Amino acid sequence: AQSVAQPEDQVKVAEGNPLTVKCTYSVSGNPYLFWYVQYPNRGLQFLLKYITGDNLVKGSYGFEAEFNKSQTSFHLKKPSALVSDSALYFCAVRDRAQGNLIFGKGTKLSVKP
Amino acid sequence: DTEVTQTPKHLVMGMTNKKSLKCEQHMGHRAMYWYKQKAKKPPELMFVYSYEKLSINESVPSRFSPECPNSSLLNLHLHALQPEDSALYLCASSQGRGDTEAFFGQGTRLTVV
């Protein structure tokens, strides 16, 4: 079975500092990995994806993620956090057989001024 | 246009009511999804339509009845719901290929009283 794990329920950083939201995956074969962000009472917004190629993926709003096959990780990063980045972040993997996304439990990011 | 539109945004219904949630996309996507999301939890897959045919039903109770009238529309018919069915219902669409991201609507906040 394919799955992703987000080990942190919450991440707190100060505005202007770098942020990392962690994700590890368990997939047979090559994974299709995604990051989404959700603001309160809203739908999920796509940030970025890793399919193949360069291990460093750049996405929306200055976010990037690093795919590490040996550590089976796909951590989300941003060099300088903004207060407006405060939201719930989900890592997801594509179920190759059924086509749907399988989500991690989510990590709440809080950026303090 | 990368928009998935869901209506209504909010819905309050009694346990004996019948209501419908609607979802629309005009991106030419051939896969459409219904997810249920409880507060601070990841979305849970309910149904998948692929090329207008129901391809996945994740053991959802029959009081939820999906319908895909055409390639742009997805409905979720609700009947005799329980208070525990109160949640954010998210619609999503994708091209159906594993390497493509899914686009989510803003969701319908459903409260069953």
Side-chain angles (χ1 to χ4, degrees), chain B residues 37-57:
Chain B
Q37 186 181 27
K38 290 283 200 178
K40 300 181 181 180
K41 298 292 186 182
E44 299 175 358
L45 182 68
M46 299 176 71
F47 302 104
V48 179
Y49 272 84
S50 179
Y51 290 87
E52 302 167 45
K53 294 189 186 306
L54 182 65
S55 60
I56 298 173
N57 177 340

Side-chain angles (χ1 to χ4, degrees), chain B:
Chain B
D1 181 8
T2 58
E3 190 171 333
V4 176
T5 304
Q6 288 188 245
T7 55
K9 287 186 169 51
H10 301 275
L11 178 63
V12 179
M13 62 184 291
M15 289 189 284
T16 59
N17 292 158
K18 286 185 179 181
K19 297 287 185 182
S20 296
L21 309 185
K22 296 184 183 301
C23 174
E24 189 169 5
Q25 58 88 14
H26 295 287
M27 294 176 277
H29 289 171
R30 306 318 299 252
M32 296 187 75
Y33 313 82
W34 280 115
Y35 286 87
K36 173 184 178 181
Q37 186 181 27
K38 290 283 200 178
K40 300 181 181 180
K41 298 292 186 182
E44 299 175 358
L45 182 68
M46 299 176 71
F47 302 104
V48 179
Y49 272 84
S50 179
Y51 290 87
E52 302 167 45
K53 294 189 186 306
L54 182 65
S55 60
I56 298 173
N57 177 340
E58 290 289 301
S59 302
V60 178
S62 60
R63 57 184 183 268
F64 296 91
S65 176
E67 178 196 20
C68 189
N70 60 55
S71 60
S72 299
L73 294 174
L74 187 65
N75 299 323
L76 186 62
H77 302 299
L78 314 173
H79 174 55
L81 294 192
Q82 303 298 310
E84 58 265 29
D85 296 323
S86 299
L88 182 67
Y89 287 83
L90 295 166
C91 174
S93 70
S94 73
Q95 290 184 0
R97 296 197 325 265
D99 61 349
T100 59
E101 59 271 28
F103 293 88
F104 284 79
Q106 296 298 296
T108 294
R109 174 68 62 188
L110 174 67
T111 302
V112 182
V113 297

Side-chain angles (χ1 to χ4, degrees), chain A residues 32 34 36 38 41-46 49 51 88 90 94 98-106 108, chain B residues 33 35 37 40-43 45 48 56 58 88 90 94 97-107 109:
Chain A
Y32 291 163
F34 303 81
Y36 284 83
Q38 186 176 33
N41 295 312
R42 304 296 292 273
L44 277 69
Q45 296 179 33
F46 168 74
K49 66 182 178 182
I51 303 301
L88 189 56
F90 290 102
R94 174 79 70 181
Q98 301 194 130
N100 58 290
L101 292 171
I102 300 169
F103 291 92
K105 66 179 181 179
K108 181 180 178 181
Chain B
Y33 313 82
Y35 286 87
Q37 186 181 27
K40 300 181 181 180
K41 298 292 186 182
L45 182 68
V48 179
I56 298 173
E58 290 289 301
L88 182 67
L90 295 166
S94 73
R97 296 197 325 265
D99 61 349
T100 59
E101 59 271 28
F103 293 88
F104 284 79
Q106 296 298 296
R109 174 68 62 188

Side-chain angles (χ1 to χ4, degrees), chain A residues 23-25 33 66-75:
Chain A
C23 174
T24 58
Y25 65 89
L33 296 164
E66 186 170 9
F67 175 72
N68 188 316
K69 188 171 184 178
S70 62
Q71 297 185 4
T72 62
S73 66
F74 187 55
H75 300 332

Side-chain angles (χ1 to χ4, degrees), chain A residues 18-69:
Chain A
L19 70 87
T20 299
V21 182
K22 296 180 180 178
C23 174
T24 58
Y25 65 89
S26 176
V27 171
S28 56
N30 295 322
Y32 291 163
L33 296 164
F34 303 81
W35 275 103
Y36 284 83
V37 60
Q38 186 176 33
Y39 296 96
N41 295 312
R42 304 296 292 273
L44 277 69
Q45 296 179 33
F46 168 74
L47 285 177
L48 50 80
K49 66 182 178 182
Y50 174 81
I51 303 301
T52 187
D54 195 348
N55 289 341
L56 184 63
V57 179
K58 293 189 183 298
S60 306
Y61 313 120
F63 284 94
E64 57 189 28
E66 186 170 9
F67 175 72
N68 188 316
K69 188 171 184 178

